[in-house]
């Protein structure tokens, strides 16, 4: 009898040690990239909206401010605190092997969300995100359709160097560009996914190439596109259907507003609403169900009114009205 009591007591203590038992909430640690863009803010808000106490979660979301070393340190902190799940949105693809191994050794399920890592998939539980290379290809295919054989000099304002978002979009776009000898990518610089970065890069492009030196500006996200517009406004360079062609990525509410009003001609969506998918993956893991190694977040592309396209959807007021972020 004493033995049985001791066994029950030990069991209760083990269960109590796990946070799921202590307060009924699952402890989720999310190392967020930072706060560089509207997309990022929407993604963060979406996590707060979904991972609520009412839904059974206690979310600790860390803004890593684009600092890879800080992101690694915070993951290690989550391990030490024995969180139930660790969600990583990797600032850069490289440098994850050791820390992922540590999370795995601690027995904590790890989800890679939004961006990807170049570590072996054996080192994490599952991944959720968009297909950034496909996004780049969509932008390229739309441009090919729109230019219809015309020559074009192209400038690129890249996303943060080393991030899968920038790598994928460049790879996808370059693949299509390689099929078009009439296109010339004349320069490509890092705008760090920020409006200020986009403006700075565009200002230096204008200085170097002049208003007549380019036809197309490909911006790896909406905020960079806003910055590029600021620089072009200051230099009195026209953009839109009868000016320079601006292509953007993200399709945030503001980005789509500027697509609807014809400033951005093509905006390839990258859906920031990913928290529900991550939550469903966690619920499945809780139920010991097997989950896919990768869950794709679907997204589409949009172009300005007056442009017909087989590649992307022409923007309307209704599309914009349906957007929360
Ligand atoms: O495009 C950009 C953000 O990782 C897909 O990061 C995300 C990218 C997004 O800063 O706006």
């Amino acid at each position: 009898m004493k033995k049985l009591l001791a066994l029950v007591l030990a069991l209760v203590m083990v269960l109590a040690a796990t946070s799921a038992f202590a307060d009924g909430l699952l402890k989720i640690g999310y190392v967020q990239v930072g706060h560089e863009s509207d997309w990022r803010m929407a993604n963060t808000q979406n996590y707060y909206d979904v991972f609520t106490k009412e839904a059974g979660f206690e979310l600790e979301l860390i803004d890593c401010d684009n600092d890879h070393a800080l992101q690694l340190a915070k993951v290690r902190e989550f391990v030490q605190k024995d969180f139930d799940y660790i969600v990583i949105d990797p600032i850069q693809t490289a440098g994850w092997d050791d820390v992922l191994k540590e999370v795995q050794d601690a027995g904590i399920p790890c989800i890679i969300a939004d961006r990807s890592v170049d570590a072996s998939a054996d080192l994490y539980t599952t991944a959720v995100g968009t297909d950034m290379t496909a996004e780049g290809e969509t932008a390229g295919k739309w441009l090919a359709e729109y230019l219809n054989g015309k020559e074009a000099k192209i400038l690129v304002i890249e996303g943060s160097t080393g991030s899968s978002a920038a790598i994928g979009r460049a790879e996808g776009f370059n693949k299509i560009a390689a099929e078009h000898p009439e296109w010339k990518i004349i320069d490509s610089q890092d705008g760090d996914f920020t409006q200020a970065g986009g403006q700075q890069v565009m200002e230096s492009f204008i200085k170097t190439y002049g208003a007549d030196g380019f036809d197309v500006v490909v911006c790896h996200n909406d905020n960079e596109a806003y910055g590029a517009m600021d620089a072009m406004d200051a230099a009195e360079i026209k953009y839109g259907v009868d000016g320079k062609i601006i292509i953007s990525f993200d399709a945030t509410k503001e980005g789509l507003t500027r697509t609807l009003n014809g400033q951005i001609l093509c905006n390839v969506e990258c859906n920031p609403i990913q928290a529900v998918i991550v939550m469903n993956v966690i619920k499945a893991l809780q139920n010991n169900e097997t989950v896919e190694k990768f869950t794709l977040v679907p997204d589409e592309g949009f172009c300005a009114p007056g442009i017909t396209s087989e590649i992307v959807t022409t923007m309307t007021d209704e599309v914009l009205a349906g957007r929360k972020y």
Side-chain angles (χ1 to χ4, degrees), residues 111 126 128 276-286 291 295:
I111 300 162
T126 183
V128 171
V276 177
I277 301 172
V278 171
M279 186 184 70
N280 288 339
V281 164
I282 289 175
K283 281 184 177 166
L285 291 169
Q286 279 298 104
V291 295
T295 306

Side-chain angles (χ1 to χ4, degrees), residues 33 36-40 89-90 114-115 130 132 135 160 163-165 169 192-194 220-223 249-250 252 270 274:
V33 167
E36 70 285 358
S37 66
D38 293 357
W39 188 100
R40 187 64 53 203
D89 192 331
D114 168 35
R115 296 184 184 174
T130 59
M132 319 275 188
E135 290 166 9
S160 307
S163 69
S164 68
R169 287 168 193 171
D192 219 8
F193 280 132
T194 65
H220 276 184
N221 80 344
D222 281 340
N223 291 82
F249 293 88
D250 278 0
T252 55
C270 177
Q274 306 192 353

Side-chain angles (χ1 to χ4, degrees), residues 86-106:
I86 295 178
V87 185
I88 300 174
D89 192 331
I91 292 166
Q92 60 184 58
T93 52
W96 284 99
D97 295 65
D98 291 350
V99 83
L100 289 181
K101 184 90 185 34
E102 287 164 39
V103 176
Q104 192 167 62
D105 288 347

Side-chain angles (χ1 to χ4, degrees), residues 2-311:
K2 253 192 187 167
K3 254 189 188 166
L4 188 69
L5 258 177
L7 199 71
V8 170
L9 198 69
L11 193 69
V12 167
M13 279 169 71
V14 167
L15 284 173
T18 72
S19 56
F21 184 81
D23 55 10
L25 301 175
L26 279 177
K27 265 250 175 214
I28 313 292
Y30 184 31
V31 279
Q32 175 61 290
V33 167
H35 53 273
E36 70 285 358
S37 66
D38 293 357
W39 188 100
R40 187 64 53 203
M41 302 315 278
N43 179 254
T44 292
Q45 190 52 50
N46 185 230
Y47 271 84
Y48 283 130
D49 289 349
V50 167
F51 284 94
T52 59
K53 289 214 157 96
E54 296 70 45
F57 300 99
E58 193 175 321
L59 172 69
E60 191 169 328
L61 185 146
I62 308 284
D63 176 341
C64 295
D65 199 18
N66 244 334
D67 180 342
H68 173 65
L70 179 68
Q71 201 167 36
L72 295 181
K74 289 296 170 185
V75 171
R76 291 190 164 110
E77 226 173 272
F78 290 154
V79 171
Q80 249 163 30
K81 292 188 190 160
D82 198 23
F83 274 39
D84 296 307
Y85 289 85
I86 295 178
V87 185
I88 300 174
D89 192 331
I91 292 166
Q92 60 184 58
T93 52
W96 284 99
D97 295 65
D98 291 350
V99 83
L100 289 181
K101 184 90 185 34
E102 287 164 39
V103 176
Q104 192 167 62
D105 288 347
I108 301 173
C110 179
I111 300 162
I112 307 293
D114 168 35
R115 296 184 184 174
S116 56
V117 290
D118 61 14
S120 154
D122 294 340
L123 288 177
Y124 53 84
T125 313
T126 183
V128 171
T130 59
D131 184 340
M132 319 275 188
T133 309
E135 290 166 9
E137 278 184 36
T138 300
K141 285 180 188 163
W142 174 82
L143 186 63
E145 180 189 51
Y146 186 72
L147 289 175
N148 195 22
K150 253 194 259 152
E151 286 184 3
K153 285 174 274 183
I154 302 169
L155 293 169
V156 181
I157 305 180
E158 298 162 21
S160 307
T161 303
S163 69
S164 68
I167 294 169
R169 287 168 193 171
E171 214 173 75
F173 185 81
N174 290 345
K175 186 184 152 206
I176 306 300
E179 296 163 9
H180 291 273
E182 75 278 17
W183 298 2
K184 195 160 185 267
I185 299 181
I186 50 175
D187 208 340
S188 185
Q189 299 290 336
D190 182 359
D192 219 8
F193 280 132
T194 65
Q195 179 159 352
Q199 182 175 348
Q200 237 171 42
V201 171
M202 194 66 227
E203 280 167 0
S204 90
F205 279 163
I206 293 170
K207 249 194 218 140
T208 311
Y209 304 103
D212 297 330
F214 67 100
D215 309 294
V216 180
V217 186
V218 178
C219 306
H220 276 184
N221 80 344
D222 281 340
N223 291 82
E224 290 181 339
Y226 312 154
M229 286 178 202
D230 293 342
M232 285 195 265
D233 286 341
E236 293 180 356
I237 295 172
K238 267 174 65 176
Y239 45 88
V241 266
D242 48 4
K244 307 295 179 192
I245 297 167
I246 299 179
I247 296 177
S248 183
F249 293 88
D250 278 0
T252 55
K253 189 148 191 157
E254 175 63 21
L256 286 183
T257 304
R258 296 188 192 211
T259 311
L260 185 64
N261 72 17
Q263 293 179 315
I264 293 172
L265 290 194
C266 174
N267 204 331
V268 181
E269 185 186 31
C270 177
N271 196 342
I273 303 173
Q274 306 192 353
V276 177
I277 301 172
V278 171
M279 186 184 70
N280 288 339
V281 164
I282 289 175
K283 281 184 177 166
L285 291 169
Q286 279 298 104
N287 293 333
N288 286 322
E289 291 163 25
T290 42
V291 295
E292 299 286 332
K293 201 76 207 187
F294 178 68
T295 306
L296 179 73
V297 179
D299 41 36
E300 59 179 310
F302 299 93
C303 63
I307 301 171
T308 41
S309 174
E310 282 175 14
I311 310 292

